């Protein structure tokens, strides 16, 4: 069983966090040569290449295993020092987390703000679609994730947080152009057909965003019709606030979290396209199983705050 010195593990994880050997050297207050020597020694111990010397540096498949170890060791050392009351010279444990954009905009920052300051941690947030975030857990890039995946990643535990409910909405001027039947007081579930949704301009977050298309598919299935190919033009707006603003300005229709668009639906600044068909996304919290006071406190806070914003499953 190879032995991996903690300074080598720290150097390896720092290079991957900072992206280059030079940046890691500056952060660690050593020379780039020392960083390179530690990496070579670590790879010799592992018996394989751990790092792709690209810009930014990337872990190999074997390197992902060592990265998980490096971050777990750093986490456990920080927890032990805290429990022993040791002076860490102001050093802070960086906790990498992946979270989807809507959760980040609606409630997740509220949760981080509730984490006690005396834990002396910083947060390294990665934004990714909730359908894809578990890949960062598998690679060791993050310690925890808000995800739509209920199956636990190896080495992680998972718990349900609740359901993020979305509403399909559009600006009044957009509805008047694309869905005129809705402006005539007709019942939306009769007036709004899958074909009309499919033809209208859509706002998607990015090319991973499948929610609008899933909503269209559900409309066709509810009508008992085969689902055609996707037809309508699409805007891509990869920022939560800007995504909503694009819809508010009439660029297209899209799904916005209910907690964000509810007041605008109530006062008719936004028109709900299908009030009887909300779009629900179950969310889960996955974290490393490693015993950690920091992860325990963070998990408790995430659980408590998410309960204020998400619906019960």
């Amino acid at each position: 069983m190879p032995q991996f010195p903690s300074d080598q593990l720290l150097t390896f994880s720092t290079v991957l966090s900072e992206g280059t050997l030079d940046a890691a050297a500056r952060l660690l207050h050593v020379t780039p040569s020392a960083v390179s020597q530690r990496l070579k020694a670590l790879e010799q111990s592992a018996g394989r290449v751990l790092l792709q010397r690209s810009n930014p540096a990337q872990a190999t498949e074997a390197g992902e295993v060592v990265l998980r170890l490096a971050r777990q060791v750093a986490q456990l050392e920080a927890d032990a020092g805290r429990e022993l009351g040791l002076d860490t010279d102001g050093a802070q444990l960086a906790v990498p987390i992946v979270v989807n954009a809507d959760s980040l905009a609606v409630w997740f920052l509220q949760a981080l703000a509730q984490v006690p300051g005396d834990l002396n941690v910083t947060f390294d947030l990665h934004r990714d679609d909730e359908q894809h975030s578990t890949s960062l857990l598998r690679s060791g890039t993050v310690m925890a994730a808000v995800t739509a995946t209920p199956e636990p990643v190896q080495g992680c535990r998972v718990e349900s947080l609740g359901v993020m409910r979305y509403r399909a909405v559009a600006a009044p001027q957009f509805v008047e152009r694309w869905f005129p039947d809705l402006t005539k007081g007709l019942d939306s579930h009769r007036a709004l057909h899958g074909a009309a949704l499919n033809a209208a301009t859509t706002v998607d977050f990015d090319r991973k965003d499948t929610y609008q298309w899933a909503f269209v598919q559900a409309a066709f299935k509810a009508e008992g019709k085969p689902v055609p190919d996707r037809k309508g033009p699409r805007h891509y707006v990869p920022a939560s606030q800007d995504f909503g603003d694009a819809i508010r300005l009439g660029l297209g229709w899209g799904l916005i979290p209910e907690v964000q668009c509810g007041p605008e639906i109530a006062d008719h600044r936004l028109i709900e396209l299908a009030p009887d068909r909300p779009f629900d996304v179950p969310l889960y919290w996955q974290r490393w199983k490693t015993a950690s006071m920091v992860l325990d406190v963070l998990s408790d806070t995430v659980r408590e705050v998410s309960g204020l914003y998400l619906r019960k499953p």
Side-chain angles (χ1 to χ4, degrees):
M1 179 71 181
Q3 299 294 313
F4 300 120
S6 59
D7 64 331
Q8 295 177 9
L9 291 174
L10 174 61
T11 300
F12 181 65
S13 64
T14 303
V15 168
L16 289 171
S17 297
E18 298 301 308
T20 66
L21 273 66
D22 287 345
R26 288 192 295 271
L27 189 64
L28 295 172
H29 304 293
V30 298
T31 65
S33 176
V35 170
S36 181
Q37 291 172 7
R38 290 178 186 178
L39 293 176
K40 289 179 181 178
L42 187 64
E43 289 181 326
Q44 288 174 353
S45 297
R48 61 195 68 191
V49 175
L50 303 176
L51 190 73
Q52 296 177 6
R53 269 79 167 170
S54 53
N55 190 5
Q58 295 182 328
T60 64
E61 185 174 353
E64 291 177 353
V65 176
V66 176
L67 177 61
R68 285 198 300 273
L69 172 64
R71 290 200 163 141
Q72 288 169 350
V73 168
Q75 170 199 332
L76 293 172
E77 287 180 341
D79 281 345
R82 186 177 295 106
E83 291 182 34
L84 292 170
L86 298 178
D87 183 4
T88 57
D89 296 324
Q92 293 181 311
L93 174 67
V95 180
I97 309 166
V98 60
V99 59
N100 62 303
D102 286 335
S103 291
L104 191 61
V106 172
W107 64 270
F108 195 76
L109 289 179
Q110 300 289 337
L112 297 187
Q114 298 300 317
V115 174
D118 58 9
L119 279 185
N120 201 33
V121 297
T122 59
F123 300 105
D124 180 7
L125 297 182
H126 300 250
R127 192 193 68 194
D128 203 352
D129 182 86
E130 58 268 36
Q131 305 288 340
H132 301 85
S133 53
T134 52
S135 63
L136 296 181
L137 276 172
R138 293 190 184 92
S139 69
T141 302
V142 299
M143 297 179 181
V146 175
T147 176
T149 303
E151 296 80 19
V153 171
Q154 184 176 5
C156 294
R157 65 181 66 163
V158 61
E159 63 178 291
S160 173
L161 293 176
V163 172
M164 177 83 83
R165 171 160 287 185
Y166 291 79
R167 296 287 180 176
V169 294
Q173 66 270 27
F174 184 88
V175 171
E176 187 173 354
R177 175 187 176 189
W178 288 96
F179 313 122
D181 286 346
L182 292 184
T183 65
K184 299 175 182 177
L186 297 179
D187 195 304
S188 64
H189 76 268
R190 290 191 291 108
L192 191 60
H193 298 293
L197 282 170
N198 196 24
T201 303
T202 305
V203 180
D204 282 349
F205 188 85
D206 57 22
R207 285 163 178 80
K208 293 180 180 179
D209 181 5
T210 60
Y211 286 173
Q212 280 68 227
W213 177 230
F215 188 81
V216 173
Q217 291 176 304
F220 277 103
K221 292 175 182 177
E223 297 162 14
K225 297 178 181 179
V227 178
D229 292 336
R230 195 172 186 183
K231 294 180 180 179
R234 297 185 288 282
H235 299 293
Y236 296 102
V237 186
S240 186
Q241 180 63 46
D242 296 335
F243 174 89
D245 287 345
I247 294 171
R248 296 178 182 97
L249 291 169
L251 290 178
W253 73 271
L255 293 159
I256 297 179
E258 183 179 62
V259 295
Q260 288 183 318
C261 67
E264 294 167 294
I265 293 173
D267 62 15
H268 308 294
R269 285 176 290 159
L270 287 174
I271 307 299
E272 188 169 5
L273 305 182
D276 59 337
R277 290 209 309 270
F279 189 84
D280 290 344
V281 178
L283 294 178
Y284 302 87
W285 176 246
Q286 293 214 34
R287 52 155 288 189
W288 289 352
K289 286 182 179 178
T290 308
S292 165
M293 182 180 66
V294 168
L295 286 181
D296 289 345
V297 171
L298 175 61
S299 298
D300 290 343
T301 308
V302 166
R303 187 184 309 111
E304 179 180 353
V305 174
S306 65
L308 302 176
Y309 293 89
L310 303 181
R311 290 175 171 263
K312 292 184 178 180

